[in-house]
């Protein structure tokens, strides 16, 4: 594993992020000797994951009373906001 200086890391940030994604951890050393580990976070789900939203919507369909409570608890200002 290669260790980069802070200055190198600043100049090559995009390539270091790519390297961390493909090869794993990347180490960055500050001038005072402190080491930092750059590691990609493992994502368990994505914000636009269709399967996750499908299960959420399915649970809302099976419990219409809780869905109505959730909608009625939402302030009207948030529902009717226009951009």
């Amino acid at each position: 594993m290669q260790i980069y200086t802070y200055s190198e890391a600043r100049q090559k940030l995009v390539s270091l992020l790519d390297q961390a994604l493909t090869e794993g951890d990347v180490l960055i050393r500050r001038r005072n000797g402190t080491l930092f580990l750059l590691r990609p976070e493992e994502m368990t789900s994505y914000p636009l994951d269709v399967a996750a939203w499908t299960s959420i919507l399915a649970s809302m369909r099976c419990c219409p009373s809780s869905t109505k409570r959730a909608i009625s608890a939402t302030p009207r200002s948030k529902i009717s906001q226009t951009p």
Side-chain angles (χ1 to χ4, degrees):
M1 178 181 329
Q2 187 172 355
I3 300 174
Y4 295 90
T5 66
Y6 173 78
S7 297
E8 289 174 321
R10 233 180 46 199
Q11 293 168 0
K12 303 177 180 182
L13 182 59
V14 172
S15 63
L16 289 182
L17 294 175
D18 291 338
Q19 181 180 343
L21 193 58
T22 58
E23 298 175 19
D25 303 342
V26 173
L27 287 174
I28 301 169
R29 183 188 312 268
R30 292 182 88 179
R31 187 177 294 167
N32 66 4
T34 309
L35 278 176
F36 292 88
L37 178 66
L38 179 63
R39 174 182 294 160
E41 182 178 12
E42 293 182 24
M43 296 190 65
T44 56
S45 67
Y46 294 91
L48 300 177
D49 185 4
V50 174
W53 281 104
T54 303
S55 65
I56 291 169
L57 293 174
S59 68
M60 292 175 86
R61 278 196 300 271
C62 77
C63 306
S65 60
S66 62
T67 304
K68 287 178 185 176
R69 281 196 306 272
I71 291 172
S72 65
T74 305
R76 291 285 176 219
S77 61
K78 291 199 177 216
I79 294 174
S80 61
Q81 281 182 341
T82 55

